[in-house]
Amino acid sequence: MPRNTLVLTARLKVNLVGLVILLTSMVHTAASAAVSPIPLLVEQCLRYNFPTDTIDSALDSDTNAITFERQLIGFFNINDRINYYRQYPLSYADRELVLQCQLYLADELALYLDSSQFQSLQFSFANNKSQQITALLKRINQLSKNSQSPTYKAQLHTAQAAFKQKLSSQALNLNISDKTCELSHSTAGEAENSFNGSLASYLIKQPDEQCRKRVWQAYQARASDKNKTALATITALRQQQALQAGFANYSQFKLDEQMLHSSEIVEQFLLSQTHNIEIAPWDLGRALASAPSSHVTAMDSSQWLVLAAKELEALAIGFEWINEKSIRVWHKQRLLGDIYLTENKKIAIKPIRQLVVGQQFGQIELSLPAKLSRYQQQRQAIKAVATAVKKLSKGHQFYLLNTISETADSSNIDALWLEYWLLDKLLKAPQAGSREAILLLYSEQLVVFRSKVAIDLYRAGTRSATFDHHQQFSLGFGKYWDKTADAPFTFSAIVYEGPLYYQKLWQKNVAHYIYQSTKACQDQSAIFDTLVVNEPADSIEVILQTLLGSPITAVPLITRIQHAFDAKNKYPSRCTFLQQ
C-alpha cells in the first residue's frame, strides 16, 4: 500500500483504544488534573485481552502482519501510557494500580508469546521475502527470545531493586578518624557554612590528594559488602539464561546479535577509546571548581525552539505552532504528530504515543525551563529535540519496527547523529579547559572503564581474556585505585545493562563519525531519510554502506573511528549515495 494512502487511512481510522486516545488528546494537562486518569486507564488495561484467533494460513503474510499490528496496537498504547504516567509523582493508590496493570500486561504478553497462534505467526513471516516483514520477524523473535518465566523475572527484578536501593541509600558519613585529613577552619573557606559535609564538598576543599583518595575509595566501597548477595544472584541467573541458550557466558549471549558481536571486539573498541586524561576521580571536583564555564547567550526556551525549528527545515522537518504549548511536526507532506511543551527546571522527553504509519500519529511531551542560560542546558535541550524528532520520524507501518532496533548497540545512532547535526548549528564546542570540556573527557573515560568492568563480570569463568582493572583504571585516569574489586558495586547500570554498558559510547562514536563524514554533503535531508526515517527498514550494515560509500563491518569501523582525526585523511566526504 502506498504511504500516502496509509497516511490518509490514519486520518480516518477509529483507534482500537478509544479511551486511551481520549486521554491522549488532553495529555499535556491530564497529569495535573484534579481527577487522576490512572483508574480509568488501569480499568481498560485489565480488560485488555490478547488476540486468540489463529493466523489465517489462507491469507498472505503481509495481510497477517497488518492484522497483527491492528490487534496489538491497543496493548502497545496502554503500555506506553502507563510508562508515561509512571514518570510523575503518583499517590500510593495510583502506584498500586499502575503496578497491577504492569504485572497483568507482562503476564499476558508472556502467555501470548508462548501461544500456538504466535508461533504460527512467526512461521508465516519466515517465508516472506519483504524487507519490512523480515525486519518485523527479527523484532518478534527478539521479544520471544527475551521472554522469561515469571519466577526468573521475579528473582532478577528483586535482586536488581535491592542492589540499586542499597547503592543509592548508603551515603558516606564523613566521620574522619584521621585528624590529618580533617578540614581545618582556614581550609574550609571563609565561612564554615560553605562546607555542607558532603563528599563532593570535601573533595573540592581538601588540598591533600591522599586524603581525597582515601575518602573517595571509602565512598566507592560503601555498598560492596551489602550488595554481594544481590550481585551474585543476578550473575547466576544470567549465567543460567546464557547456558540454556547455548552460550558459555552471559557476555557472549548478549553480544551475539549486536554490532560488536563478541567480547573480544568490544575489548578492541574500548581499548581504542582509552586515553589518559590525568584527572583521577578524587581530583575531579577541584579541577572543575578551578575551571571557567563555557559561555553561551541566554535565551528564552520558546525563542530557542524557533531557532532549532529553522535549522531543521534543511532536513524537511517543519514545526507548526498550534499554540504556545503545542507544536505539530511534519516531514515533507507527512504529518508525524504533536509535541506538547511544559515548563520544568529539568529538561526531559516523555513519549506518550508512538507514531505508526497508517495507524496513528505520535505524541511527545517536551519539558524545558523558561530560560536556557547555561551551556549544559542548551546541550541538553538539543539532545531532547533530537530525540523527539527521531521518535516522530520513523517511517514504518509496524509499531515494533519503530520502537525496537535491529541491535541494542545501534538503537540510538540516528538520534545521536541528529544531535551532532544540531550542535554544529546551534552551539559551539565547549572551550578547551572549561568545566564542560573537562567533564566530557572524564565522563567518557568513566564509561570506558565501567564498560570493561561490566564485560568482565559477565564472562563467568573465562579468565584468559579479562582486563586487569588496576591497569585499565590507571590507563584512563593516570592514578592507581587500590581496591578495583569494588568497581562492580559502584554503579547500578551493571545489573541492568550488564555487558551492553558500552553501547552508549559506541553509538556516540559511530554517529559522530557518520556526521563528520557526510556533513559536507549538499542534501542533508537525504541523510536524514536514510538514517532516521529509514522507510525500507534497511539493516544498519546497509545504512552504513549507503552513507559511508563501501561495505563496512564492526572491526574496520572501530579502526576508522579511532583514526578519524588523522591529518592526512580527516573525515573524507561520502556523498556517493546522492547519485543512486
Side-chain angles (χ1 to χ4, degrees):
M1 185 182 296
R3 190 162 70 178
N4 287 343
T5 305
L6 290 171
V7 174
L8 180 60
T9 305
R11 297 176 188 270
L12 301 175
K13 186 170 294 183
V14 176
N15 197 287
L16 297 177
V17 284
L19 180 56
V20 173
I21 303 311
L22 176 61
L23 290 171
T24 298
S25 66
M26 302 181 292
V27 72
H28 54 294
T29 57
S32 58
V35 178
S36 170
I38 298 297
L40 286 174
L41 181 59
V42 171
E43 180 182 354
Q44 187 184 19
C45 167
L46 299 178
R47 288 181 178 179
Y48 181 82
N49 293 313
F50 278 83
T52 55
D53 297 335
T54 58
I55 295 298
D56 190 344
S57 58
L59 299 176
D60 61 87
S61 53
D62 295 276
T63 302
N64 284 332
I66 297 297
T67 301
F68 169 77
E69 185 69 28
R70 290 174 178 170
Q71 287 176 333
L72 290 188
I73 194 69
F75 162 74
F76 295 138
N77 283 338
I78 293 172
N79 194 52
D80 286 344
R81 188 57 48 79
I82 287 294
N83 288 330
Y84 169 74
Y85 282 116
R86 282 182 61 213
Q87 301 173 84
Y88 287 96
L90 301 174
S91 67
Y92 176 79
D94 281 352
R95 287 200 306 272
E96 289 294 306
L97 287 173
V98 166
L99 178 60
Q100 184 181 5
C101 173
Q102 287 181 295
L103 293 173
Y104 172 78
L105 292 178
D107 290 343
E108 290 297 304
L109 177 62
L111 290 173
Y112 179 68
L113 294 177
D114 196 41
S115 66
S116 58
Q117 60 264 36
F118 179 77
Q119 293 166 10
S120 175
L121 180 75
Q122 289 177 292
F123 181 78
S124 171
F125 289 170
N127 297 319
N128 191 299
K129 303 303 180 183
S130 163
Q131 192 159 294
Q132 283 221 13
I133 299 298
T134 300
L136 177 62
L137 179 60
K138 287 183 179 179
R139 275 47 167 200
I140 289 174
N141 289 339
Q142 284 184 43
L143 282 180
S144 181
K145 178 181 177 181
N146 292 324
S147 178
Q148 298 296 321
S149 70
T151 301
Y152 177 95
K153 289 187 291 186
Q155 291 176 330
L156 179 64
H157 295 166
T158 299
Q160 288 172 328
F163 186 99
K164 182 178 181 180
Q165 189 276 329
K166 289 171 184 174
L167 182 61
S168 61
S169 66
Q170 298 300 313
L172 180 66
N173 183 6
L174 292 181
N175 183 14
I176 302 170
S177 58
D178 188 345
K179 299 297 182 181
T180 62
C181 285
E182 289 184 352
L183 289 175
S184 66
H185 179 76
S186 59
T187 304
E190 295 180 2
E192 288 187 354
N193 292 336
S194 64
F195 175 65
N196 60 14
S198 71
L199 173 72
S201 182
Y202 177 86
L203 294 179
I204 290 173
K205 295 181 180 299
Q206 174 56 261
D208 188 303
E209 181 183 357
Q210 287 305 310
C211 290
R212 294 197 302 271
K213 179 180 177 181
R214 287 170 59 188
V215 170
W216 180 85
Q217 289 187 151
Y219 183 80
Q220 300 308 310
R222 69 196 184 281
S224 296
D225 290 336
K226 294 187 177 182
N227 267 334
K228 282 182 179 178
T229 300
L231 189 59
T233 299
I234 292 165
T235 53
L237 286 169
R238 287 179 158 169
Q239 179 66 7
Q240 170 192 331
Q241 182 184 6
L243 292 173
Q244 289 175 348
F247 293 88
N249 57 67
Y250 188 71
S251 282
Q252 286 186 12
F253 170 70
K254 288 301 289 183
L255 295 172
D256 181 59
E257 296 182 354
Q258 304 304 317
M259 288 184 72
L260 304 188
H261 53 270
S262 72
S263 56
E264 291 76 20
I265 297 177
V266 175
E267 279 186 36
Q268 182 179 341
F269 167 66
L270 294 174
L271 290 172
S272 75
Q273 297 301 308
T274 302
H275 311 293
N276 188 354
I277 61 172
E278 298 184 341
I279 301 176
W282 50 86
D283 295 331
L284 178 65
R286 291 178 71 84
L288 293 176
S290 61
S293 295
S294 295
H295 174 74
V296 293
T297 302
M299 62 179 70
D300 294 338
S301 59
S302 56
Q303 176 190 3
W304 181 89
L305 276 171
V306 171
L307 295 178
K310 184 66 176 176
E311 297 295 344
L312 287 168
E313 290 176 3
L315 305 179
I317 291 291
F319 277 18
E320 176 189 357
W321 265 261
I322 304 304
N323 52 50
E324 291 182 355
K325 297 295 183 181
S326 182
I327 301 172
R328 188 146 290 164
V329 185
W330 299 79
H331 178 237
K332 299 177 180 177
Q333 300 301 313
R334 180 165 70 104
L335 175 59
L336 305 181
D338 296 324
I339 296 176
Y340 301 121
L341 304 175
T342 59
E343 185 175 321
N344 198 304
K345 292 181 180 179
K346 184 177 181 180
I347 297 172
I349 278 289
K350 298 174 182 177
I352 302 168
R353 188 176 67 184
Q354 176 62 48
L355 169 115
V356 181
V357 174
Q359 292 283 344
Q360 61 189 27
F361 304 117
Q363 293 180 324
I364 286 177
E365 180 182 320
L366 170 61
S367 298
L368 295 171
K371 187 176 288 290
L372 300 172
S373 306
R374 302 189 307 275
Y375 185 94
Q376 283 301 108
Q377 281 184 314
Q378 294 192 12
R379 180 166 186 126
Q380 290 169 6
I382 287 173
K383 183 179 185 68
V385 168
T387 301
V389 171
K390 169 257 181 83
K391 286 184 177 295
L392 290 174
S393 298
K394 287 298 181 183
H396 309 308
Q397 59 181 319
F398 301 112
Y399 177 96
L400 293 179
L401 289 187
N402 290 323
T403 55
I404 301 179
S405 295
E406 180 184 4
T407 67
D409 63 358
S410 64
S411 60
N412 207 37
I413 291 174
D414 46 5
L416 287 164
W417 169 83
L418 184 54
E419 182 181 341
Y420 285 121
W421 192 91
L422 285 170
L423 279 169
D424 212 13
K425 308 291 187 297
L426 298 172
L427 192 61
K428 295 179 180 179
Q431 301 164 12
S434 66
R435 293 178 186 176
E436 294 75 18
I438 292 172
L439 192 58
L440 182 62
L441 290 173
Y442 174 81
S443 61
E444 286 180 351
Q445 286 311 302
L446 185 61
V447 170
V448 168
F449 176 72
R450 286 179 169 178
S451 297
K452 296 170 183 176
V453 172
I455 283 287
D456 274 354
L457 177 67
Y458 292 99
R459 289 196 289 198
T462 56
R463 289 296 184 192
S464 58
T466 54
F467 290 109
D468 180 330
H469 293 171
H470 290 293
Q471 180 188 39
Q472 296 304 320
F473 184 85
S474 179
L475 287 174
F477 302 104
K479 297 294 174 68
Y480 187 82
W481 180 3
D482 298 342
K483 295 182 179 180
T484 53
D486 291 328
F489 301 94
T490 60
F491 61 111
S492 59
I494 198 168
V495 300
Y496 292 99
E497 297 179 42
L500 297 183
Y501 187 75
Y502 73 92
Q503 63 177 305
K504 294 178 183 177
L505 182 64
W506 164 248
Q507 293 182 87
K508 283 177 62 178
N509 277 268
V510 175
H512 192 234
Y513 181 72
I514 292 173
Y515 172 66
Q516 294 290 0
S517 298
T518 59
K519 69 177 184 179
C521 299
Q522 186 173 3
D523 188 358
Q524 292 291 299
S525 65
I527 303 170
F528 180 83
D529 290 348
T530 301
L531 182 59
V532 182
V533 179
N534 188 20
E535 185 175 351
D538 286 331
S539 67
I540 185 62
E541 288 81 8
V542 171
I543 292 172
L544 289 174
Q545 180 175 347
T546 302
L547 296 178
L548 301 178
S550 61
I552 187 167
T553 55
V555 174
L557 185 55
I558 291 171
T559 303
R560 284 198 193 191
I561 291 170
Q562 184 179 6
H563 300 292
F565 289 96
D566 290 352
K568 67 177 183 179
N569 191 29
K570 185 177 181 180
Y571 296 129
S573 177
R574 303 291 186 188
C575 301
T576 55
F577 65 93
L578 296 176
Q579 302 169 5
Q580 297 177 0

